[in-house]
């Protein structure tokens, strides 16, 4: 989907279309009061000059997404809003409405499966679709079906999307970025040298900042330069699995099927503070935030029908170092208070001598609620007593 979070908000505020807009601020009370008094439609009549500007933002928030008008100034997803304000001070700031985003996410995905039912969910705004056995799926290399999907999504949601069609998921992902917004790009196997190899190595989904930096130090910048390397040399520099995968990816090879159902590996909740907080001096504030994160994580697990066996924490200090710890128990849980106790135990294993910028809680080793075995549901009596003693001790001596 094209600038999905921003596009959903622009349905609510059409007067901002074509302007530089970033998503990442808090919802304004004045808008909520107007909507409550006059209805959702009233929001479209708010004057453009009444919206808050990025140059006036103060805080630690990060941008969820930005309109293409804002992206022209170098503003992008996951960028700190204060940094973005230096690049595009005139951008308008809008909040994230996760409930509305999820509603449109479900709507565009259900629209696709009515046309092409073999679909793999890739998050809130992205999917893979297998055209192979869809009637007419091969016409014009898939372009006809792609147009049909775009048209259906626009009619159902008012939103646009960009589609990349290719022989496999790796190339289709890259192709989907070629012609944004509202574009269709077709990549054939013999397009590899002409369309793929000139691209930067970071365009390969799976090569992140660290790998990209290491490749640059090795004087490898484009996918073509990566493809020219000896596989053994890549293995020597990046390890057996990663090196072999890099060679295959550079040559456009990917045999992963479109998987219609997959289980989540983990779930997490985290927050970045408006100011650095100290574990002792800000104990009450941190404690309330920590409890709220654990409670919301428990609600997420329950809403999605999962229980977790491993609970972990994530801290980012004021010097941007990150610390993580986790603990695996003998029983599964989706209870917020239990998660709070286990996460508190993890806290005892990290240094808290520096101020904190971010705090997060994570649940892993997931199972469907009710589907874990009896031995997994109940711990042996002795183990239960030990666990209870440990959590009671933690509860009585929480760090925050």
């Amino acid at each position: 989907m094209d600038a999905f979070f921003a596009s959903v908000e622009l349905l609510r505020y059409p007067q901002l279309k074509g302007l530089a807009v970033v998503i990442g601020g808090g919802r304004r009370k004045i808008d909520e009061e107007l909507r409550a008094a006059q209805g959702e439609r009233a929001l479209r009549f708010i004057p453009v000059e009444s919206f808050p500007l990025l140059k006036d933002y103060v805080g630690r928030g990060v941008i969820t997404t930005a309109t293409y008008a804002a992206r022209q100034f170098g503003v992008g997803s996951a960028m700190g809003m204060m940094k973005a304000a230096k690049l595009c001070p005139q951008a308008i700031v809008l909040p994230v409405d996760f409930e509305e985003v999820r509603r449109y996410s479900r709507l565009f995905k259900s629209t696709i499966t009515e046309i092409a039912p073999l679909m793999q969910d890739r998050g809130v705004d992205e999917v893979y679709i297998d055209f192979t056995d869809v009637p007419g799926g091969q016409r014009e290399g898939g372009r006809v079906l792609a147009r049909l999907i775009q048209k259906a999504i626009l009619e159902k949601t008012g939103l646009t999307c960009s589609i990349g069609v290719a022989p496999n998921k790796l190339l289709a992902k890259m192709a989907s970025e070629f012609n944004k917004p509202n574009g269709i790009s077709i990549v054939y196997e013999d397009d590899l040298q002409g369309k793929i190899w000139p691209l930067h190595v970071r365009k390969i989904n799976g090569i992140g900042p660290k790998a990209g930096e290491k490749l640059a130090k090795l004087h490898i910048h484009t996918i073509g330069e990566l493809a020219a390397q000896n596989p053994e040399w890549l293995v020597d520099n990046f390890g057996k699995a990663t090196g072999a995968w890099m060679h295959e990816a550079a040559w456009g090879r990917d045999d992963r099927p479109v998987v219609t159902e997959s289980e989540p590996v983990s779930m997490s909740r985290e927050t970045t503070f408006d100011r650095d907080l100290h574990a002792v001096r800000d104990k009450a504030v941190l404690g309330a935030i920590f409890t709220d994160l654990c409670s919301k994580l428990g609600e997420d697990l329950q809403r999605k029908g999962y229980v977790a066996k491993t609970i972990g924490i994530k801290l980012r200090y004021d010097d941007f170092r990150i610390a993580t710890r986790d603990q695996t128990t003998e029983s599964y849980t989706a209870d917020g208070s239990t998660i709070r106790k286990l996460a508190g135990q993890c806290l005892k294993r990290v240094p808290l001598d520096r101020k904190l910028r971010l705090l997060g809680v994570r649940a892993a080793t997931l199972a469907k609620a009710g589907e874990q075995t009896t031995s997994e549901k109940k711990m042996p009596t002795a183990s239960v007593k030990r666990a209870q003693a440990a959590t009671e001790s933690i509860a009585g001596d929480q760090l925050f």
Side-chain angles (χ1 to χ4, degrees):
M1 300 300 290
D2 296 325
F4 188 49
F5 285 72
S7 299
V8 168
E9 283 300 320
L10 292 182
L11 294 175
R12 181 176 279 155
Y13 301 105
Q15 66 269 46
L16 302 182
K17 286 185 177 179
L19 301 180
V21 177
V22 299
I23 305 298
R27 189 156 296 283
R28 300 193 305 165
K29 186 178 180 181
I30 188 172
D31 293 11
E32 295 302 298
E33 291 173 347
L34 181 62
R35 185 164 65 170
Q38 300 183 32
E40 182 84 11
R41 187 172 175 78
L43 299 179
R44 65 183 56 227
F45 300 110
I46 298 174
V48 172
E49 58 270 19
S50 297
F51 288 90
L53 298 179
L54 189 55
K55 69 181 179 66
D56 299 319
Y57 176 84
V58 177
R60 290 259 180 80
V62 297
I63 292 173
T64 302
T65 192
T67 59
Y68 291 97
R71 294 182 189 188
Q72 293 176 1
F73 293 88
V75 174
S77 302
M79 178 181 289
M81 292 180 68
M82 295 288 283
K83 179 181 178 181
K86 296 178 182 179
L87 300 173
C88 189
Q90 75 276 20
I92 289 168
V93 180
L94 291 178
V96 179
D97 186 340
F98 288 107
E99 185 177 339
E100 191 76 344
V101 166
R102 283 191 287 263
R103 185 172 75 84
Y104 274 97
S105 179
R106 291 191 294 269
L107 185 56
F108 94 76
K109 290 169 186 174
S110 64
T111 302
I112 289 173
T113 54
E114 290 175 2
I115 300 169
L118 192 54
M119 182 193 79
Q120 178 177 341
D121 198 322
R122 281 285 298 160
V124 71
D125 64 346
E126 182 180 6
V127 299
Y128 287 117
I129 314 161
D130 192 335
F131 282 9
T132 306
D133 297 320
V134 178
Q138 304 307 309
R139 290 176 60 192
E140 296 182 24
R143 189 179 298 275
V144 171
L145 189 58
R147 283 201 205 103
L148 177 61
I149 288 172
Q150 281 185 326
K151 182 173 182 288
I153 290 175
L154 182 63
E155 289 176 350
K156 284 284 185 70
T157 67
L159 301 170
T160 65
C161 64
S162 296
I163 299 176
V165 187
N168 58 51
K169 289 159 74 170
L170 176 83
L171 297 176
K173 169 70 175 174
M174 283 191 270
S176 69
E177 302 287 339
F178 287 173
N179 194 19
K180 277 182 164 288
N182 200 31
I184 297 171
S185 300
I186 312 294
V187 173
Y188 297 94
E189 287 184 1
D190 56 7
D191 289 329
L192 186 69
Q193 294 186 28
K195 291 184 177 181
I196 303 300
W197 280 3
L199 300 176
H200 194 276
V201 288
R202 287 289 311 281
K203 292 295 182 180
I204 295 178
N205 188 35
I207 295 183
K210 289 184 179 179
E213 185 179 338
K214 185 173 180 179
L215 285 166
K217 289 179 179 177
L218 295 168
H219 308 291
I220 298 172
H221 304 280
T222 68
I223 297 175
E225 290 170 345
L226 182 61
Q229 304 306 311
N230 187 294
E232 286 75 19
W233 183 85
L234 290 171
V235 167
D236 288 341
N237 282 275
F238 293 92
K240 185 176 181 180
T242 302
W245 169 80
M246 280 184 170
H247 182 261
E248 291 294 290
W251 282 88
R253 299 168 187 148
D254 181 16
D255 58 3
R256 294 172 300 157
V258 170
V259 181
T260 56
E261 292 184 11
S262 61
E263 298 292 338
V265 176
S266 65
M267 296 185 199
S268 62
R269 283 273 186 167
E270 63 180 44
T271 186
T272 300
F273 311 130
D274 290 334
R275 63 179 179 88
D276 296 338
L277 298 177
H278 193 277
V280 176
R281 292 190 292 274
D282 299 300
K283 181 176 180 178
V285 175
L286 279 167
I289 293 171
F290 194 43
T291 299
D292 184 58
L293 288 171
C294 293
S295 176
K296 287 180 176 176
L297 180 57
E299 291 171 4
D300 292 342
L301 288 165
Q302 293 169 34
R303 185 177 67 254
K304 296 179 181 180
Y306 285 90
V307 287
K309 206 174 182 181
T310 300
I311 301 299
I313 60 166
K314 174 183 175 182
L315 307 178
R316 179 176 289 131
Y317 299 102
D318 56 0
D319 61 357
F320 289 90
R321 287 184 302 111
I322 292 175
T324 60
R325 298 290 188 276
D326 59 60
Q327 174 150 326
T328 299
T329 64
E330 295 185 53
S331 62
Y332 286 84
T333 186
D335 175 64
S337 61
T338 303
I339 293 171
R340 174 66 165 88
K341 291 176 181 178
L342 294 168
Q345 190 166 349
C346 294
L347 273 177
K348 283 185 168 287
R349 295 157 43 208
V350 293
L352 293 172
D353 53 343
R354 297 193 67 96
K355 289 184 177 181
L356 302 174
R357 293 177 57 89
L358 174 146
L359 179 61
V361 187
R362 174 176 173 269
T365 318
L366 305 182
K368 278 286 189 180
E371 292 184 7
Q372 67 270 34
T373 66
T374 303
S375 61
E376 291 170 332
K377 291 179 183 178
K378 292 185 178 182
M379 298 161 60
T381 303
S383 297
V384 170
K385 289 179 180 178
R386 284 196 297 271
Q388 286 177 340
T391 53
E392 284 168 5
S393 172
I394 297 157
D397 185 29
Q398 287 290 0
L399 296 173
F400 52 72

